[in-house]
Amino acid sequence: QVQLVESGGGLVQAGGSRRPSCAASGSIFSINAMGWYRRAPGKQRELVARIFSGGSTNYANSVKDRFTISRDNAKNTVYLQMDSLKPEDTAVYYCNYDDWQGDYWGQGTQVTVSS
């Protein structure tokens, strides 16, 4: 089992920044992927960004050049630096951990961007 604890959500004005983090604990396997997904009101959950243990990343087109995902493997923690935030980035952001054992989710952290 893997447990994920997110922090760093909140209210921010448009154009501002936020940096949520997610710490994984439990049965962590050295080869894994961690990422952030989001669900906006009335929409389906979508991938925001993902980073593999080797460092490769992928991003949703809507956040490229504004968001940066990074990780600290020693701390089993993933970060999402969100810059130039827009009201349409308002959503619940969920941390995800994925390895051969399965797929695990955090409880979600609300990010609200005011115009």
Side-chain angles (χ1 to χ4, degrees):
Q1 290 289 321
V2 174
Q3 295 78 43
L4 301 171
V5 178
E6 300 140 334
S7 61
L11 176 64
V12 61
Q13 289 189 329
S17 299
R18 205 74 187 177
R19 189 183 185 232
S21 62
C22 172
S25 61
S27 300
I28 305 299
F29 189 61
S30 59
I31 300 174
N32 60 63
M34 294 186 74
W36 291 92
Y37 291 69
R38 67 186 180 188
R39 177 176 285 146
K43 295 186 177 181
Q44 291 189 329
R45 185 168 59 192
E46 62 175 357
L47 172 70
V48 177
R50 198 175 188 210
I51 184 167
F52 295 84
S53 47
S56 60
T57 59
N58 52 43
Y59 293 90
N61 287 334
S62 59
V63 306
K64 279 181 181 177
D65 302 324
R66 297 189 299 123
F67 292 10
T68 303
I69 191 169
S70 62
R71 62 187 291 164
D72 182 335
N73 288 335
K75 296 180 179 179
N76 294 318
T77 299
V78 64
Y79 306 93
L80 185 67
Q81 178 66 45
M82 305 190 293
D83 297 319
S84 302
L85 282 161
K86 304 175 181 179
E88 51 263 44
D89 294 317
T90 294
V92 179
Y93 284 72
Y94 296 92
C95 179
N96 173 264
Y97 172 95
D98 180 26
D99 68 15
W100 68 271
Q101 303 173 91
D103 203 20
Y104 298 89
W105 294 92
Q107 77 283 1
T109 185
Q110 176 72 45
V111 174
T112 302
V113 184
S114 62
S115 57

